[in-house]
Amino acid sequence: MIGGAFALLCAGAVASPTLAQSSLAMLDSLDKGEWQLRFRDGSPARKVCVRSGRELIQLRHSASGCNRFVVEDGRNEVTVQYTCPGDGYGRTNVRKEGPALVQIDSQGIVGGRPFQFSAEARRIGSCQ
């Protein structure tokens, strides 16, 4: 019986990542164009060209080749954890308030140093 329970536990562990990998449809529903991020800590605002919405996940890690794991894929909120080999990792939560307004919370390690921020992102026009 213990072997059967262990097999079920292992099967669940293997199946979970597959189930957690989702479409991130909420990000696809955001208006495309230039967005302005305003950081709650008073850091200077930043502009991002949003083409798919996924640009909002790795704001402190611009490198491609990062591995992503979808923790939550809701209608109005997504949480993604990612690892960038040789450059650190992060976990970002994006909450949609409207097609042109989101709240972002992110934390992790980049270049060996910790980061954490909260920001509001709002569409301000077309990408330049």
Side-chain angles (χ1 to χ4, degrees), residues 19-77:
L19 294 175
Q21 298 305 315
S22 302
S23 67
L24 299 173
M26 185 279 283
L27 296 175
D28 294 332
S29 73
L30 298 177
D31 290 347
K32 309 310 179 232
E34 188 169 59
W35 286 59
Q36 183 177 54
L37 283 80
R38 292 195 173 166
F39 297 94
R40 300 217 191 298
D41 67 0
S43 297
R46 176 178 165 193
K47 293 180 181 177
V48 175
C49 183
V50 172
R51 293 183 177 90
S52 70
R54 284 153 182 78
E55 297 86 356
L56 302 173
I57 295 172
Q58 292 176 214
L59 292 168
R60 296 285 168 95
H61 290 91
S62 58
S64 61
C66 299
N67 300 313
R68 293 180 178 172
F69 179 79
V70 178
V71 177
E72 179 181 3
D73 188 13
R75 198 179 92 194
N76 292 313
E77 189 168 4

Side-chain angles (χ1 to χ4, degrees), residues 87-111:
D87 195 29
Y89 60 88
R91 182 181 178 107
T92 303
N93 174 271
V94 181
R95 182 173 47 87
K96 178 180 173 182
E97 292 189 4
L101 178 65
V102 298
Q103 302 298 321
I104 302 170
D105 290 298
S106 188
Q107 62 183 3
I109 301 286
V110 64

